[in-house]
């Protein structure tokens, strides 16, 4: 048994062209608050954590629904493509790129629709009260 075939990854979303590239989306049961400096960017009890393995095992990423944003985010003229999530659009706060969103992810990642993630070096994530 390998990491990507173990029990923890039974229901993982997999790249059809590379089954070793996969992700798991997990509900977060505790409140999540995301700050950029002193600015509260999001406050959510409906966030999810994405755990992804591909070229390496990536740090888990918290995604919050658009409805839970508390700050006005601008658009960045940039996009990227992930084979298991789809096309990401990037967002800014105060003119600085701060994160990304999957507006219309591919079918297998539909759960991430309009969920925002943020660069860990640009925000502080507080989990729990």
């Amino acid at each position: 048994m390998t990491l990507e075939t173990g029990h923890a990854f039974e229901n993982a979303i997999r790249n059809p062209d590379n089954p070793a590239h996969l992700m798991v989306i997990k509900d977060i049961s505790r409140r999540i608050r995301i700050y950029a400096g002193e600015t509260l960017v999001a406050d959510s009890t409906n966030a999810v954590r994405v755990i992804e393995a591909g070229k390496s095992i990536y740090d888990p990423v918290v995604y919050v629904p658009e409805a839970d944003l508390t700050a006005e985010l601008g658009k960045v003229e940039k996009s990227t493509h992930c084979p298991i999530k789809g096309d990401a659009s990037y967002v800014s706060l105060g003119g600085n790129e701060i994160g990304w969103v999957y507006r219309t992810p591919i079918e297998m990642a539909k759960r991430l629709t309009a969920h925002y993630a943020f660069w860990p070096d640009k925000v502080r994530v507080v989990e729990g009260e």
Side-chain angles (χ1 to χ4, degrees):
M1 177 169 54
T2 65
L3 172 68
E4 60 272 351
T5 61
H7 178 70
F9 292 103
E10 279 179 359
N11 297 315
I13 296 166
R14 295 178 184 275
N15 178 344
D17 297 324
N18 177 6
H21 180 200
L22 55 91
M23 75 174 167
V24 174
I25 302 172
K26 299 181 64 100
D27 291 325
I28 300 174
S29 61
R30 300 182 337 159
R31 180 182 180 195
I32 295 290
R33 284 166 289 159
I34 298 174
Y35 293 89
E38 296 302 313
T39 302
L40 179 64
V41 176
D43 190 345
S44 181
T45 56
N46 297 300
V48 296
R49 191 177 330 273
V50 173
I51 302 156
E52 184 176 355
K55 294 177 184 171
S56 69
I57 296 176
Y58 304 106
D59 290 336
V61 176
V62 171
Y63 284 77
V64 296
E66 185 171 51
D68 295 341
L69 295 177
T70 58
E72 184 79 25
L73 300 178
K75 294 181 180 179
V76 175
E77 291 300 318
K78 172 182 172 182
S79 68
T80 57
H81 180 77
C82 172
I84 58 175
K85 293 186 221 86
D87 295 325
S89 301
Y90 289 79
V91 295
S92 65
L93 181 67
N96 297 311
E97 182 181 312
I98 192 172
W100 65 95
V101 60
Y102 290 95
R103 290 248 162 251
T104 53
I106 58 179
E107 187 61 37
M108 63 185 167
K110 276 284 198 221
R111 191 159 178 214
L112 296 179
T113 301
H115 278 61
Y116 287 71
F118 300 92
W119 296 115
D121 61 338
K122 299 198 177 179
V123 298
R124 178 172 46 97
V125 176
V126 177
E127 186 169 341
E129 296 301 319

